[in-house]
Amino acid sequence: MVVLTAAERALSCKELASGPGVEPVAAKVEGVRSKANRLVRRGWLAKEPSGRFTLVAGLRGGGS
């Protein structure tokens, strides 16, 4: 979530995985993909047709 909040565009799973210092090997990227898809189902992320992920409108912005 922190990586997506800082990003100014939608990110691929490989980009999401490499953000927090995780080595972007296939197993780690697939784990990130699984978690991102779960967040899509919960309404926190949006998945673009290209397969990239971004925060749902309203979740991005300043915190309190």
Side-chain angles (χ1 to χ4, degrees), residues 13 33 36-37 40 45-54 56:
C13 288
R33 184 181 325 279
N37 280 316
V40 169
L45 298 182
K47 187 174 182 181
E48 296 183 346
S50 65
R52 293 177 172 265
F53 294 90
T54 189
V56 170

Side-chain angles (χ1 to χ4, degrees), residues 21-51:
V22 174
E23 199 170 328
V25 295
K28 300 292 184 183
V29 173
E30 288 306 313
V32 169
R33 184 181 325 279
S34 174
K35 290 174 182 147
N37 280 316
R38 188 177 314 135
L39 291 172
V40 169
R41 289 190 301 273
R42 293 180 181 174
W44 288 55
L45 298 182
K47 187 174 182 181
E48 296 183 346
S50 65

